[in-house]
Amino acid sequence: MSDTLANTRFAVVDTETTGLSPTNCSVLQLGIVIVRGDGTIESQFSTYIKRRFWKPGRLGAHHIHGITRRQLRTGISIHEALDKLHFELKTATFVAHNAKFDLGFLRAEAHRCGHPLAINNPICTLTLSRSLDPSKAHPHNLRQLGIRYGITDVPNHDALADAIVTARLLPILLAQANITSAEQLPSIALK
């Protein structure tokens, strides 16, 4: 691994949402882990998203994410959360597991609140993992990848926990893909 990749900063992001459609659903929680290419975690950030009003029954799949209205009241506005993400993306590359899902929600939220959100050359660890398994011999969901690579000490379906697992997987997947320099990263970015 080159020094440039070892010192490259990645903003590994995960969201918990009220549902599956960015058009009709909302972000409930945002987790961001800043990790270098060598696997060193520099910082972690997690927040619930506080809204002015939540319609009854609009928390979505509570049985999956476990987020309550009380937790949401301790959060920050979506605008403040997007400000934090924007700040981190000034010096880090966006990464997510199933990045199309998280990007769809973040872009929809940014559009709804009139917040600029530029994300260039995002990296998807789900896409990267699948590309390393052309015979489709293994599952590629985050939990199964964590088990395969010995990352089993982190809870499930919490935005920060899922971002931590993804951050720990990233250097492993980059090494398996023979990504040895920062200059190679655009070759694995989502198109």
Side-chain angles (χ1 to χ4, degrees), residues 27-43:
V27 173
L28 295 171
Q29 184 186 23
L30 174 66
I32 305 170
V33 175
I34 303 301
V35 63
R36 291 197 320 245
D38 67 1
T40 303
I41 293 179
E42 292 184 358
S43 65

Side-chain angles (χ1 to χ4, degrees), residues 57-87:
R58 290 293 298 157
L59 294 184
H62 175 78
H63 64 284
I64 293 174
H65 57 64
I67 297 171
T68 66
R69 289 179 189 277
R70 175 175 285 164
Q71 289 170 309
L72 295 175
R73 285 192 289 270
T74 68
I76 62 176
S77 72
I78 188 64
H79 199 278
E80 291 171 291
L82 291 170
D83 279 346
K84 173 67 173 170
L85 179 59
H86 178 74
F87 174 79

Side-chain angles (χ1 to χ4, degrees), residues 11 59 76 84-85 101 124 141 151-153 155 164-165 172 185:
L59 294 184
I76 62 176
K84 173 67 173 170
L85 179 59
F101 179 86
C124 178
N141 68 60
I151 306 167
T152 58
D153 58 338
I164 289 169
V165 172
I172 296 167
L185 291 174

Side-chain angles (χ1 to χ4, degrees), residues 16-174:
E16 293 299 327
T17 64
T18 60
L20 301 176
S21 169
T23 305
N24 304 324
C25 300
S26 304
V27 173
L28 295 171
Q29 184 186 23
L30 174 66
I32 305 170
V33 175
I34 303 301
V35 63
R36 291 197 320 245
D38 67 1
T40 303
I41 293 179
E42 292 184 358
S43 65
Q44 301 175 16
F45 171 79
S46 178
T47 187
Y48 294 106
I49 305 302
K50 184 191 306 189
R51 307 280 179 168
R52 280 182 165 208
F53 304 103
W54 280 104
K55 296 177 186 172
R58 290 293 298 157
L59 294 184
H62 175 78
H63 64 284
I64 293 174
H65 57 64
I67 297 171
T68 66
R69 289 179 189 277
R70 175 175 285 164
Q71 289 170 309
L72 295 175
R73 285 192 289 270
T74 68
I76 62 176
S77 72
I78 188 64
H79 199 278
E80 291 171 291
L82 291 170
D83 279 346
K84 173 67 173 170
L85 179 59
H86 178 74
F87 174 79
E88 295 296 357
L89 290 175
K90 288 180 182 179
T91 60
T93 299
F94 182 96
V95 176
H97 195 75
N98 194 2
K100 287 182 181 181
F101 179 86
D102 294 297
L103 283 170
F105 272 91
L106 292 168
R107 287 178 172 150
E109 292 281 15
H111 178 74
R112 284 192 285 269
C113 71
H115 191 290
L117 184 62
I119 299 174
N120 300 312
N121 297 318
I123 295 172
C124 178
T125 55
L126 175 61
T127 301
L128 182 56
S129 178
R130 285 178 175 162
S131 75
L132 297 168
D133 181 23
S135 64
K136 300 180 181 171
H138 301 286
H140 298 280
N141 68 60
L142 189 57
R143 231 13 76 192
Q144 289 300 313
L145 282 173
I147 291 167
R148 188 176 334 146
Y149 294 109
I151 306 167
T152 58
D153 58 338
V154 183
N156 199 8
H157 286 300
D158 170 84
L160 182 59
D162 289 351
I164 289 169
V165 172
T166 304
R168 290 170 62 187
L169 282 170
L170 180 63
I172 296 167
L173 297 175
L174 291 175

